[in-house]
Amino acid sequence: MKIKLNIWKQENPKAKGKFVKYELDGVAEEMSFLEMLDSLNEKLIKEHQEPVAFEHDCREGICGSCGLYINGRPHGPGDEIGTCQLHMRAFREGDSITIEPWRAKGFPVIKDLIVDRNAFDKIMAAGGFISIDMGQAADANAILVSKEAADKAFDAAACIGCGACVAACKNSSAMLFVAAKVSQFALLPQGKIEAKRRALNMIAKMDELGFGSCTNTGACEAECPKGISIDYIAMLNREYLCASFSETE
Amino acid sequence: MSKLDSKIPEGPLAEKWSKYKASMKLVSPLNKKKLDIIVVGTGIAGAPAAATLAELGYNVKSFCFQDTARRAHSVAAQGGINAAKNYKSDGDSVYRLFYDMIKGGDFRAREANVYRIAEVSNAIIDQLTAQGVPFAREYGGTLANRTFGGVQVSRTFYAQGQTGQQVLLGGYSALKRQVSLGKVKMYSRRQMLDLVIIDGKARGIITRNLVTGEIERHSAHAVVLATGGYGTIYYLSTLAVNSNGSAAWQAYKKGAFFGNPSFVQIHPTSIPVLNDYQCKLTLMSESLRNDGRIWVPKEKGDKRDPNIIPEDERDYFLERRYPAFGNLVPRDVASRAAKERCDAGFGVGKTGLAVYLDFRDSVKKQGEKAIKGKYGNLFDLYEKITGESPYKTPMMIYPAGHYTMGGLWVDYNLMTTIPGLFAIGEANFSDHGANRLGASSLMQGAGDGYCILPYTITNYLADEIKTKLPSTDTPEFEEAAKTAKERLDKFLSINGKQTATSFHKRLGHIMWNYCGMSRNEEGLKKALQMIDDLQKEFWSDLKIPGKVEELNQELEKASRIADFLELAKLMALDALNRKESCGAHFREESQTEGGEAQRIDSEYSYVAAWEYQGDNKEPKLHKEELKFENVEVKVRSYK
């Protein structure tokens, strides 16, 4: 099939970006969306044009590298998929597809469709861990965890750090991302000791880095490629509230 | 003394590591603060190594080419991580895990190293659990286990089909903690271009900042490569498309020996090639073989819907050929058996290059819910790509390039032949011999990073406490940075007509056809010639747009492919040299009547360690004899 593409091009973080139109023929419906972009780039290079820069790596929805805003939706049409798992069978002959980078204050554009998600690393460094040095751990079965709690913690931990939640949110909030990590640890006995500090510090870092507040719209949950529930935001709020009201450590 | 001193400690196998640890040199906390270590790569070996070294007090510089450490390709490991916990009381032990790995590797790995990794495996599970890795649990709250190929016990710990992600995130969180404490400095979006050696010791690296294009210099007292494998040399593989062998290759060209480069694991259960545009193949975890049965129709070219093919017209060829292990034979055996059926004309699907992996019986027996609980995310992944539901129709699978057992040669200290340069995880050749067993890559990577390297590197650094951090203005750094820059400029100056990807695809074809699942002398010689020709074409007709001083993804590709073109020749050369079949290395000339791999222990019971001699010169082969004192070397049978 033949499609029309409308892609955000921006040379560097400081440059002024603009939409550029491309036409691409010979698109097969079993192609993945990123393979379609690969073939566009191969064509552009041969025609002595600049290829479109976009981020990608594992191409199976787990590394979280790819993240494109396609026709107004993070990761495009389809539920619980990363951009790399979107296939061209979701589109039709003659379709116009607009592709943008994540748009959020916390994620500045580096080039074309690539944004800087370093802010997530900073939030993680603020408390997204359990402080245990190598060699101190007791036998793994000394810590019993109910299957329900382990499963719930896993569902939260499945976050791939792609940033779709932020891109989908009208406030550019990173609450779902932070909630996933805080909840994973809050659900496990191992994480309880640092629970208060973790919730307070990660939220403070999120605010500091320019992410907005949560107004419970639920767009993050709808667009999360791993289907992470906003119930975890409720859990984060509880953790945060309890931590705020209790004595400082 | 020969350059190939494996430095295996004396004493009984089970005591080597503990006795050696007790006798190692130490570095005091005050002196640790004065020592800098570079760790390249942030996967399941690199992130734990960086974090653990920082916990000990060293100053660590951690590098990755991704935008963040959490995206290293270990994230995609699916099925699990092994440990000899014997939580199931099914007869497991450190020795049993060791033996399974030695046998699984077809007696081509070093006994002492393999025993050590089995020995530390339990501590890794303890550490990961303490970090909050949400492993699967039983209702009673204890950890759950499952079985993987090539073994008869349940020793695999897992987190659905995303174990790699969870285990990696454990290491990543430990790393972030050290970043917050100021002990690790992160350098993301950096590609290592060269290793810098001063006075015979590894003292730094040259990197390219992938955002600005700047060529940077970093110095340290020791350098650790945790840069993974080179399976993307096949172009189509289960690996992330940006995974590459460049860091290890540059180290090789600076004098580190390369061990068993031709030992590559072809994973039996990947989603088959669907079209020409694909740039990667998606793995379906080996754990699926716990409940899925592999078969092809008994009739050649049977194009019927698999669901209507009656039981007696199906050939469950793994169960037929290997009754003792059935569908859970090791990966090399399963891959070759699938290839054999497809080559004989029994393959299914559009291309005939696929076999069925069928869950009908398990769904019937255990119910859809139970199967969903174990493999839900894998089934979803399959359905997203193929549009078919494995609950209703058998999966179609075919082997694909996956893991490289070969890698930089290291001694018992995980140090390469360059003093001060260490290689851990998939980047070294160490523990898997000629074939890796499932769920042991996470174990080995994590074991190297958390448990082993922190000791052995300390032993090395104890002699470096008086060494000042080298300046990056030395002639060695000048020279390395200059050479790296010139090479990048050269890619851009060729200004030919063909894209980097088109060369990669062609190289992949050559390697898959002649140096993949099955090899022979004629094919390997032909491959060497073809790679040579392709390399010449690459350097005269490559087209790279843009410039060095900017984010330039095509330039990144070109740099990796240029290295792959060289590495490919070494792989073929190594495969040509080893005229026996062993593990994943199948030389057609050396097989039993039943078509199984036939080792020739009298001639090839060694590690092939290759030494670079200069471009266009034949590398020099060194042999590390393998001695088996604790196991009986026998024909590897899964029948």
Side-chain angles (χ1 to χ4, degrees):
Chain A
M1 58 183 164
K2 196 171 177 180
I3 50 165
K4 291 176 198 136
L5 297 163
N6 194 25
I7 301 178
W8 184 258
K9 289 283 291 172
Q10 182 174 337
E11 213 171 314
N12 58 55
K14 285 178 195 142
K16 197 164 174 249
K18 60 170 191 219
F19 280 105
V20 176
K21 287 188 172 18
Y22 303 92
E23 284 197 359
L24 190 62
D25 206 353
V27 175
E29 60 175 35
E30 68 261 31
M31 269 183 175
S32 76
F33 194 82
L34 296 185
E35 283 158 7
M36 179 276 291
L37 285 179
D38 287 339
S39 72
L40 170 71
N41 277 345
E42 288 292 293
K43 177 174 164 255
L44 291 176
I45 296 163
K46 283 182 185 152
E47 290 169 357
H48 306 287
Q49 293 186 61
E50 271 283 311
V52 177
F54 64 97
E55 205 137 36
H56 63 95
D57 201 16
C58 80
R59 301 228 181 180
E60 55 184 78
I62 194 72
C63 76
S65 295
C66 65
L68 300 176
Y69 209 77
I70 302 161
N71 284 350
R73 285 186 69 181
H75 297 304
D79 295 329
E80 295 193 21
I81 52 169
T83 301
C84 60
Q85 293 169 298
L86 174 63
H87 281 74
M88 293 311 290
R89 59 178 91 96
F91 299 94
R92 297 278 164 273
E93 170 78 34
D95 271 3
S96 242
I97 306 173
T98 299
I99 313 173
E100 300 163 78
W102 284 171
R103 290 177 303 176
K105 194 178 163 197
F107 295 155
V109 172
I110 292 176
K111 183 175 182 176
D112 299 348
L113 302 172
I114 298 178
V115 298
D116 183 353
R117 284 169 289 190
N118 195 248
F120 272 9
D121 270 346
K122 289 182 180 153
I123 293 173
M124 282 293 288
F129 49 77
I130 288 171
S131 299
I132 173 107
D133 283 359
M134 179 60 203
Q136 296 173 330
D139 182 82
N141 263 350
I143 311 166
L144 296 180
V145 182
S146 75
K147 188 175 185 306
E148 290 77 10
D151 288 350
K152 258 191 177 173
F154 173 85
D155 288 345
C159 168
I160 58 174
C162 65
C165 48
V166 174
C169 178
K170 62 182 192 285
N171 308 322
S172 296
S173 171
M175 279 289 270
L176 192 63
F177 172 77
V178 175
K181 195 43 74 179
V182 167
S183 303
Q184 175 198 344
F185 290 145
L187 284 158
L188 299 171
Q190 304 92 302
K192 295 250 192 296
I193 296 157
E194 293 168 285
K196 285 181 198 165
R197 297 176 49 177
R198 180 177 305 116
L200 294 174
N201 292 345
M202 288 180 81
I203 290 279
K205 185 54 86 176
M206 178 187 93
D207 290 344
E208 178 197 319
L209 294 170
F211 293 98
S213 303
C214 174
T215 46
N216 289 311
T217 312
C220 51
E221 176 186 74
E223 299 297 5
C224 173
K226 292 293 155 189
I228 293 173
S229 160
I230 50 169
D231 289 356
Y232 292 112
I233 294 186
M235 196 178 286
L236 169 64
N237 283 332
R238 198 179 60 216
E239 289 289 314
Y240 183 75
L241 222 64
C242 289
S244 309
F245 285 130
S246 67
E247 282 175 51
T248 44
E249 288 172 71
Chain B
M1 196 168 37
S2 151
K3 269 188 176 175
L4 270 190
D5 180 0
S6 55
K7 302 208 172 80
I8 296 168
E10 293 298 317
L13 186 66
E15 292 169 23
K16 281 182 197 289
W17 179 234
S18 50
K19 280 196 170 162
Y20 183 51
K21 272 199 295 186
S23 69
M24 278 180 185
K25 284 176 260 184
L26 299 174
V27 177
S28 76
L30 273 176
N31 282 328
K32 283 197 183 104
K33 282 187 204 162
K34 296 179 198 158
L35 294 168
D36 286 31
I37 303 170
I38 283 173
V39 181
V40 188
T42 57
I44 196 46
T52 309
L53 292 168
E55 286 165 12
L56 288 173
Y58 295 110
N59 307 310
V60 178
K61 295 170 192 165
S62 167
F63 294 80
C64 65
F65 68 74
Q66 297 87 350
D67 66 322
T68 154
R70 67 179 291 156
R71 308 206 201 284
H73 189 56
S74 307
V75 79
Q78 297 174 348
I81 174 166
N82 287 334
K85 284 282 194 185
N86 194 29
Y87 281 162
K88 291 271 180 187
S89 298
D90 55 0
D92 203 6
S93 64
V94 169
Y95 183 84
R96 185 88 66 177
L97 172 53
F98 151 77
Y99 182 77
D100 285 343
M101 284 180 76
I102 286 281
K103 179 187 170 193
D106 214 358
F107 303 93
R108 289 293 173 265
R110 212 186 265 156
E111 271 190 344
N113 284 55
V114 178
Y115 193 89
R116 178 176 60 183
I117 206 74
E119 200 179 337
V120 303
S121 66
N122 292 341
I124 300 163
I125 298 301
D126 297 340
Q127 179 66 12
L128 296 174
T129 304
Q131 284 172 351
V133 171
F135 283 123
R137 301 264 169 178
E138 304 290 354
Y139 280 106
T142 54
L143 290 159
N145 291 108
R146 61 183 170 203
T147 311
F148 258 62
V151 306
Q152 291 171 315
V153 293
S154 289
R155 65 161 71 103
T156 305
F157 296 79
Y158 62 98
Q160 285 197 19
Q162 286 165 236
T163 318
Q165 182 202 23
Q166 296 309 316
V167 170
L168 176 75
L169 290 179
Y172 165 77
S173 67
L175 184 64
K176 286 293 118 185
R177 175 173 161 241
Q178 293 306 316
V179 168
S180 75
L181 297 170
K183 289 306 290 179
V184 174
K185 187 154 171 30
M186 267 314 301
Y187 296 87
S188 57
R189 295 191 192 271
R190 303 296 204 289
Q191 173 81 35
M192 172 175 156
L193 298 178
D194 206 353
L195 175 76
V196 180
I197 297 177
I198 300 174
D199 297 332
K201 291 177 176 171
R203 291 294 190 205
I205 59 171
I206 304 293
T207 59
R208 177 167 178 268
N209 180 322
L210 299 181
V211 176
T212 63
E214 195 188 336
I215 308 293
E216 303 164 331
R217 308 166 188 195
H218 307 274
S219 70
H221 294 89
V223 177
V224 180
L225 296 187
T227 49
Y230 44 91
T232 43
I233 201 161
Y234 293 104
Y235 186 65
L236 285 176
S237 77
T238 63
L239 300 183
V241 297
N242 297 310
S243 294
N244 63 82
S246 287
W249 190 249
Q250 292 311 323
Y252 165 75
K253 290 179 82 172
K254 280 286 167 86
F257 292 5
F258 213 108
N260 299 330
S262 69
F263 286 0
V264 182
Q265 175 162 82
I266 309 294
H267 197 293
T269 54
S270 149
I271 298 177
V273 179
L274 299 169
N275 57 57
D276 289 342
Y277 334 105
Q278 261 174 300
C279 64
K280 84 153 270 162
L281 297 170
T282 300
L283 180 71
M284 287 287 109
S285 167
E286 176 163 315
S287 60
L288 293 168
R289 287 196 272 144
N290 271 298
D291 289 301
R293 298 176 70 194
I294 293 180
W295 63 278
V296 291
K298 279 185 180 165
E299 184 88 15
K300 259 188 206 182
D302 188 340
K303 294 286 173 205
R304 280 179 294 171
D305 175 344
N307 283 323
I308 62 162
I309 298 181
E311 195 61 17
D312 60 352
E313 291 174 39
R314 298 172 169 205
D315 175 16
Y316 293 94
F317 56 91
L318 290 178
E319 295 169 29
R320 169 171 58 79
R321 283 179 69 176
Y322 309 100
F325 284 71
N327 291 295
L328 282 173
V329 289
R331 292 175 177 175
D332 55 336
V333 177
S335 288
R336 271 198 296 280
K339 181 179 190 295
E340 187 276 330
R341 283 293 81 189
C342 293
D343 289 351
F346 294 91
V348 297
K350 258 194 240 171
T351 58
L353 289 177
V355 299
Y356 292 123
L357 176 59
D358 196 343
F359 295 88
R360 182 195 63 182
D361 297 351
S362 297
V363 169
K364 213 184 278 171
K365 211 166 148 192
Q366 304 169 38
E368 194 170 311
K369 200 177 161 216
I371 295 298
K372 195 176 177 160
K374 287 193 238 182
Y375 313 114
N377 65 325
L378 294 169
F379 280 27
D380 291 348
L381 190 62
Y382 183 87
E383 191 171 352
K384 275 169 197 164
I385 294 171
T386 63
E388 285 187 340
S389 164
Y391 297 106
K392 297 190 180 76
T393 307
M395 280 185 178
M396 279 196 272
I397 48 142
Y398 195 69
H402 182 56
Y403 182 93
T404 49
M405 282 76 70
L408 292 172
W409 185 92
V410 289
D411 63 16
Y412 192 72
N413 295 312
L414 304 180
M415 190 157 88
T416 67
T417 47
I418 300 173
L421 178 69
F422 295 77
I424 58 174
E426 192 179 349
N428 72 29
F429 88 105
S430 170
D431 296 351
H432 307 295
N435 174 58
R436 179 174 67 74
L437 289 183
S440 55
S441 61
L442 289 177
M443 173 181 69
Q444 184 232 334
D448 285 359
Y450 283 117
C451 308
I452 301 169
L453 179 83
Y455 280 94
T456 60
I457 203 169
T458 296
N459 191 44
Y460 170 81
L461 289 170
D463 294 331
E464 297 289 331
I465 52 173
K466 288 185 186 140
T467 311
K468 277 212 179 111
L469 182 67
S471 150
T472 53
D473 295 329
T474 63
E476 291 87 350
F477 271 100
E478 287 287 345
E479 177 64 27
K482 191 171 148 254
T483 314
K485 174 74 168 53
E486 283 170 359
R487 187 168 186 251
L488 295 172
D489 288 336
K490 189 153 180 216
F491 291 127
L492 285 155
S493 69
I494 300 169
N495 211 5
K497 290 189 183 66
Q498 303 180 60
T499 62
T501 300
S502 69
F503 283 106
H504 196 176
K505 269 190 193 176
R506 286 165 68 192
L507 176 65
H509 270 290
I510 299 172
M511 296 308 282
W512 183 249
N513 290 336
Y514 301 108
C515 200
M517 255 189 290
S518 181
R519 297 126 183 224
N520 63 54
E521 184 171 334
E522 195 195 335
L524 288 164
K525 284 185 173 158
K526 193 171 164 192
L528 278 167
Q529 188 55 52
M530 288 170 85
I531 301 163
D532 230 15
D533 294 343
L534 188 64
Q535 192 178 27
K536 286 190 188 106
E537 204 177 317
F538 174 88
W539 284 105
S540 58
D541 198 29
L542 176 71
K543 169 77 187 168
I544 298 297
K547 45 189 198 276
V548 175
E549 299 80 14
E550 64 177 358
L551 191 152
N552 188 337
Q553 294 173 312
E554 288 301 309
L555 184 62
E556 293 168 29
K557 282 188 211 168
S559 171
R560 294 167 190 163
I561 296 160
D563 291 334
F564 273 148
L565 283 162
E566 296 174 13
L567 171 56
K569 282 194 260 188
L570 188 68
M571 279 172 71
L573 201 64
D574 185 51
L576 196 58
N577 169 67
R578 194 174 284 272
K579 294 192 175 72
E580 65 162 354
S581 293
C582 58
H585 170 64
F586 191 70
R587 276 290 296 262
E588 288 160 15
E589 299 92 329
S590 185
Q591 52 181 309
T592 64
E593 269 178 34
E596 305 294 335
Q598 184 149 40
R599 289 196 324 263
I600 307 174
D601 291 330
S602 57
E603 289 177 57
Y604 295 101
S605 184
Y606 64 78
V607 176
W610 297 89
E611 182 183 12
Y612 179 70
Q613 300 286 310
D615 284 336
N616 305 316
K617 278 189 192 144
E618 184 107 339
K620 190 174 168 193
L621 174 65
H622 300 262
K623 297 175 184 177
E624 180 198 341
E625 293 300 326
L626 292 167
K627 291 187 203 102
F628 295 92
E629 292 160 347
N630 299 276
V631 298
E632 187 196 342
V633 179
K634 40 188 187 185
V635 175
R636 179 167 164 252
S637 167
Y638 292 94
K639 290 182 189 288

